[in-house]
Amino acid sequence: MNSEKMKKGLERAPHRSLLKAMGWVEEELDRPLIGVVNAASDFVPGHKHLHQIGAAVKEGIRMSGGVPLEFFTIGICDGLAMNHDGMRYSLASRELIADSVEAMVRAHPLDGLVFIPNCDKIVPGMLMAAARLDLPAVFVSGGPMLAGRFRGEAVDLSSVFEGVGKVRAGLMGERDLEELEDCACPGCGSCAGMFTANSMNCMTEAIGMGLPGNGTIPAVAAARVRLAKKAGIQVMKAIAAGLRPSRIMTAQAFGNALAVDMALGCSTNTILHLPAIAREAGVAVSLELVEEISRRTPQICKLSPAGAHRIEDLDAAGGVQAVMKRLHEKGLLDTDCLTVSGLTVGEQLAKAQVLDGEVIRDLSSPYSASGGIAVLHGNLAPEGAVVKQGAVAPEMMKKTGPARVFDSEEEAVEAIMGRRIRPGDVIVIRYEGPKGGPGMREMLTPTSALAGMQLDKEVALVTDGRFSGATRGAAIGHVSPEAAEGGLIGLVCDGDIISIDIPGRKLELILDKAEIERRKASWQPLVKRVPRGYLTRYAARVTSAGTGAVLRDGEDKK
């Protein structure tokens, strides 16, 4: 056992003494030690109940002969951090989470791990740590929030963000918005749509690191607690079988996850997180691979914000396993991949059923013939940009219009809320990339304001920043290279014509090459002042969005 480095032998008498100081008995010293990595906190509704999930995991571990040792990670609530400087720390926290888990587990040798994440950066941060440490590991998320009910209709957090725009446009009263905010988020769990948190919990299941149901069983369901106990039991089986993440998180498994991503219409943030996780696993996930899989994978689910269904509806329809069964019917998955259950994908899918053909459509009648995310290229994004095409209105799939340029999210929001954006405009928000932000802020406020003001079918938005999974509309993010690194987005001026062609995968600035060169000659990057500390170090080491916004290692040249 790996933990014997800490507890066996004459020289480890002091170590055993410390363990006995916590009430341990000899029988516990002889058993496998299992780290329970919990994201529980009082900050995040998706984390509020994770102490209960942790207790269930520990019960499962003890039932199977292990000794659980629980510790906690940080976790930022993107909703609370939205539209102010706090959001600069959200994506950046992914690396802090991975590093802190690594430090705890390397310092205290363990035999296995159960990860309990929920919400946006916590899931990928923990998956990165699992790949890096390569100890037998099982994931069990806290599960999704139920949808709220507002005057007979299902609502979620994005409904409230859009409500702000409706109030500004005179389409909703402030008292109506107050009533909506009281009921949109009815309790614990990750917000109810196919936003980033639920997208990544579904990816965890699709890649094989979470048991069936991990992505969709509601947070408040007893089935979620049972799943947590099973995770505690399963990690002991994984240890016995030598089933490590390196046997699960293979190139083929990442291909499966991307196929599920496209079929579900997940958040564009998955295109930051999957490459970062894959890098830790020694696998390459490029934008070219994303586009290749998107082209051949139909979108068969449309969940909020793209459609009316929520995660609870997906769960009732059969969950992620049912989506994978649909994909398997057309040979779009590698079913030989191992999963943390000890079964192959194919063996696991034998039990899967599609229980609602509208929530999970047949591949012969998909919502769209290609996947939910598209990768665009062109002179404005030579290294790529991404858009959640499954949430774009048909009339916005091709768009040409004059640029309205802003050097920060705040400036753009002020113009939108001030009714200074006209139908047909293409909003450009720059210097919000990983380095230029720094931190690549997630910008749900401007996109939801446009949707609430009923401009999402007339106004496009292009940025080197990123968007929440709750975003809908022609919102094109991750433009690479970013403005701070000399990308063409930094040279765009008000009135320049931008051409967007999502079916053709093109993003172009219609500008004479000579004019572009003239602007380059006088260009100086905008440098934003940030508090001294982590963000300064992050900005110095972070790579582009096109590579997952990972941090350069010391030996990396670029």
Side-chain angles (χ1 to χ4, degrees):
M1 290 189 292
N2 190 51
S3 62
E4 289 183 355
K5 291 187 289 186
M6 182 172 64
K7 63 183 184 179
K8 290 293 184 182
L10 177 65
E11 295 82 0
R12 298 297 180 262
H15 304 63
R16 292 191 295 274
S17 181
L18 289 168
L19 295 171
K20 288 176 179 178
M22 295 187 289
W24 284 37
V25 295
E26 293 292 340
E27 288 81 358
E28 288 174 300
L29 289 169
D30 291 335
R31 293 178 179 180
L33 305 186
I34 312 300
V36 178
V37 190
N38 199 331
S41 79
D42 290 339
F43 281 90
V44 189
H47 297 180
K48 185 69 175 175
H49 64 306
L50 294 189
H51 291 292
Q52 179 189 19
I53 300 298
V57 166
K58 290 190 280 187
E59 285 181 32
I61 292 168
R62 290 192 183 99
M63 281 192 287
S64 299
V67 178
L69 291 160
E70 188 173 20
F71 65 94
F72 300 89
T73 67
I74 63 168
I76 290 172
C77 176
D78 280 14
L80 295 177
M82 196 72 67
N83 195 227
H84 60 81
D85 281 346
M87 179 52 76
R88 301 189 193 283
Y89 289 88
S90 175
L91 180 61
S93 73
R94 186 184 69 183
E95 271 60 31
L96 287 175
I97 291 163
D99 289 351
S100 64
V101 174
E102 175 197 352
M104 282 293 290
V105 176
R106 297 275 194 224
H108 311 103
L110 299 170
D111 301 301
L113 298 162
V114 178
F115 290 88
I116 309 173
N118 229 23
C119 300
D120 298 27
K121 310 311 159 304
I122 298 88
V123 185
M126 288 187 178
L127 282 165
M128 289 165 68
R132 189 183 300 173
L133 294 164
D134 202 29
L135 289 172
V138 181
F139 278 67
V140 56
S141 77
M145 186 186 293
L146 295 176
R149 303 294 298 181
F150 176 67
R151 299 176 182 176
E153 293 186 1
V155 291
D156 53 41
L157 183 64
S158 67
S159 309
V160 187
F161 272 97
E162 292 184 11
V164 174
K166 289 180 179 180
V167 170
R168 289 289 190 185
L171 302 173
M172 174 184 272
E174 289 191 36
R175 288 188 178 180
D176 297 322
L177 180 60
E178 184 177 350
E179 181 184 341
L180 175 60
E181 74 178 65
D182 285 345
C183 63
C185 299
C188 65
S190 47
C191 297
M194 188 51 79
F195 312 149
T196 306
N198 291 323
S199 294
M200 288 309 303
N201 285 333
C202 290
M203 292 298 94
T204 303
E205 184 176 340
I207 209 169
M209 289 299 294
L211 295 171
N214 178 73
T216 59
I217 295 172
V220 295
R224 177 59 60 177
V225 178
R226 295 197 296 271
L227 189 70
K229 289 182 182 177
K230 289 178 181 177
I233 294 168
Q234 190 59 37
V235 73
M236 300 301 294
K237 293 180 180 179
I239 292 169
L243 185 54
R244 297 173 179 268
S246 56
R247 296 179 61 194
I248 297 170
M249 287 197 273
T250 62
Q252 293 78 14
F254 280 99
N256 285 348
L258 283 169
V260 174
D261 189 343
M262 299 306 154
L264 286 172
C266 289
S267 165
T268 51
N269 282 316
T270 60
I271 310 306
L272 290 172
H273 299 325
L274 289 175
I277 299 160
R279 179 175 182 258
E280 297 288 352
V283 174
V285 171
S286 64
L287 289 181
E288 289 73 24
L289 178 64
V290 172
E291 177 59 18
E292 176 189 331
I293 292 175
S294 177
R295 288 283 192 183
R296 69 173 183 244
T297 308
Q299 184 175 352
I300 56 175
C301 299
K302 266 210 173 182
L303 296 103
S304 175
H309 300 133
R310 265 69 182 186
I311 304 298
E312 64 199 75
D313 302 313
L314 178 61
D315 186 63
V320 171
Q321 297 300 306
V323 173
M324 294 180 76
K325 193 174 187 74
R326 285 281 201 231
L327 296 176
H328 174 44
E329 291 168 1
K330 298 295 184 181
L332 295 172
L333 295 180
D334 187 323
T335 54
D336 291 330
C337 291
L338 269 176
T339 72
V340 78
S341 69
L343 302 174
T344 66
V345 168
E347 290 168 337
Q348 210 162 252
L349 293 182
K351 298 179 181 179
Q353 294 184 65
V354 177
L355 302 175
D356 188 325
E358 184 57 27
V359 176
I360 305 173
R361 288 192 174 181
D362 189 272
L363 270 70
S364 62
S365 56
Y367 286 101
S368 65
S370 60
I373 294 174
V375 177
L376 312 184
H377 286 88
N379 67 351
L380 200 50
E383 295 175 12
V386 298
V387 60
K388 190 173 184 176
Q389 65 174 342
V392 178
E395 54 266 49
M396 293 297 290
M397 296 296 279
K398 289 187 176 185
K399 168 75 178 174
T400 298
R404 295 291 305 280
V405 182
F406 304 95
D407 287 337
S408 71
E409 177 189 4
E410 287 85 353
E411 293 175 16
V413 169
E414 183 181 356
I416 294 168
M417 295 299 191
R419 311 295 297 277
R420 299 199 302 274
I421 299 299
R422 298 181 296 273
D425 284 347
V426 177
I427 297 171
V428 175
I429 305 177
R430 62 192 180 192
Y431 292 103
E432 290 289 3
K435 180 182 292 293
M440 201 179 186
R441 287 193 290 179
E442 188 174 86
M443 293 182 280
L444 179 57
T445 298
T447 59
S448 58
L450 290 171
M453 298 168 81
Q454 298 184 352
L455 288 172
D456 58 303
K457 295 180 180 179
E458 298 179 276
V459 173
L461 199 157
V462 176
T463 182
D464 53 10
R466 63 192 179 94
F467 296 111
S468 164
T471 288
R472 61 187 174 98
I476 298 165
H478 307 195
V479 169
S480 299
E482 60 176 292
E485 292 200 315
L488 186 57
I489 190 172
L491 303 180
V492 181
C493 295
D494 274 346
D496 287 348
I497 301 301
I498 292 176
S499 173
I500 299 165
D501 181 358
I502 295 173
R505 304 304 198 254
K506 288 289 185 182
L507 180 62
E508 297 277 347
L509 175 64
I510 309 302
L511 193 64
D512 182 81
K513 288 184 179 180
E515 175 61 15
I516 291 174
E517 292 303 317
R518 188 190 68 78
R519 293 183 189 181
K520 278 184 180 179
S522 60
W523 174 78
Q524 291 291 328
L526 172 68
V527 179
K528 295 183 179 178
R529 295 177 63 87
V530 296
R532 186 179 64 181
Y534 178 56
L535 278 182
T536 303
R537 299 193 300 275
Y538 180 85
R541 293 182 57 203
V542 70
T543 64
S544 76
T547 59
V550 298
L551 298 186
R552 298 180 182 90
D553 292 327
E555 67 273 14
D556 288 351
K557 294 181 180 179
K558 60 178 289 186

